[in-house]
Amino acid sequence: MKRLLLVVLVALSLPGCGLHPLYAGGASGPIASGLAGVEVAPVAGKSGYLVTNALRDRLPRRSGGTAAYRLEIVLDDQITGLGVRRDDTVTRERRTLRARYQLVSLGNGEVVLDATAGSDAGVDVVGSEYATIAAENTALERLSDIVADQIVTRVALYIRRAPAR
């Protein structure tokens, strides 16, 4: 009986906790509709290409109509040597991808969201130059996905809190 009472009390307290599903309503919900109104401006470089594609994969497709927002991104992609042997050869690298992004309202040109996203990954430097380059590229692909996820989540939160248009 005590367990049942505890389960009922927990179930009744959940609506008051402040947690709400972000993507309620699925593809026809307000967040998905708002994200469909975001266009991604081209970003230069290989990392820009990867991040742009990752963002386009995560944003819902627009069915006609014009975009309400433009996402402008500036990337900083760096590789830093960490582990160094006595003969000054690097044995470990850290690849860092940082994005400064702005969500611009196309109605008035105002920047409504200005934020950063980023992540880093470790890369082992091995005897094969090909293997090292392949590991660096794989790390960049993973980092691009992580940064795109962070950007879409932050934009979705902005759209949820933004006044109705």
Side-chain angles (χ1 to χ4, degrees):
M1 186 65 172
K2 288 182 182 182
R3 274 193 186 164
L4 180 61
L5 182 60
L6 181 63
V7 169
V8 169
L9 287 175
V10 169
L12 291 175
S13 67
L14 281 178
C17 72
L19 294 177
H20 303 285
L22 184 60
Y23 293 105
S28 60
I31 302 300
S33 299
L35 287 175
V38 176
E39 71 178 25
V40 181
V43 185
K46 180 179 181 178
S47 57
Y49 171 78
L50 291 170
V51 170
T52 300
N53 281 345
L55 285 168
R56 289 183 179 148
D57 288 345
R58 286 157 177 76
L59 294 172
R61 301 280 183 248
R62 235 185 357 256
S63 57
T66 59
Y69 300 102
R70 180 179 59 250
L71 191 58
E72 297 176 353
I73 304 167
V74 177
L75 294 174
D76 180 25
D77 178 20
Q78 294 183 358
I79 299 176
T80 308
L82 293 178
V84 181
R85 291 188 186 139
R86 289 183 185 161
D87 63 353
D88 286 336
T89 59
V90 175
T91 60
R92 186 95 173 134
E93 295 175 336
R94 183 174 91 182
R95 184 155 206 167
T96 306
L97 183 64
R98 302 276 181 252
R100 177 167 186 249
Y101 59 96
Q102 296 179 325
L103 187 65
V104 179
S105 172
L106 294 178
N108 58 11
E110 177 186 355
V111 175
V112 295
L113 177 64
D114 187 354
T116 60
S119 190
D120 59 352
V123 176
D124 286 329
V125 178
V126 294
S128 168
E129 188 174 336
Y130 175 80
T132 301
I133 291 171
E136 290 172 353
N137 288 335
T138 301
L140 180 59
E141 291 169 7
R142 283 193 322 258
L143 293 173
S144 298
D145 287 339
I146 292 168
V147 167
D149 285 338
Q150 292 174 5
I151 291 172
V152 170
T153 300
R154 183 72 188 271
V155 170
L157 287 171
Y158 168 78
I159 289 172
R160 185 175 93 189
R161 294 180 182 134
R165 304 186 110 227

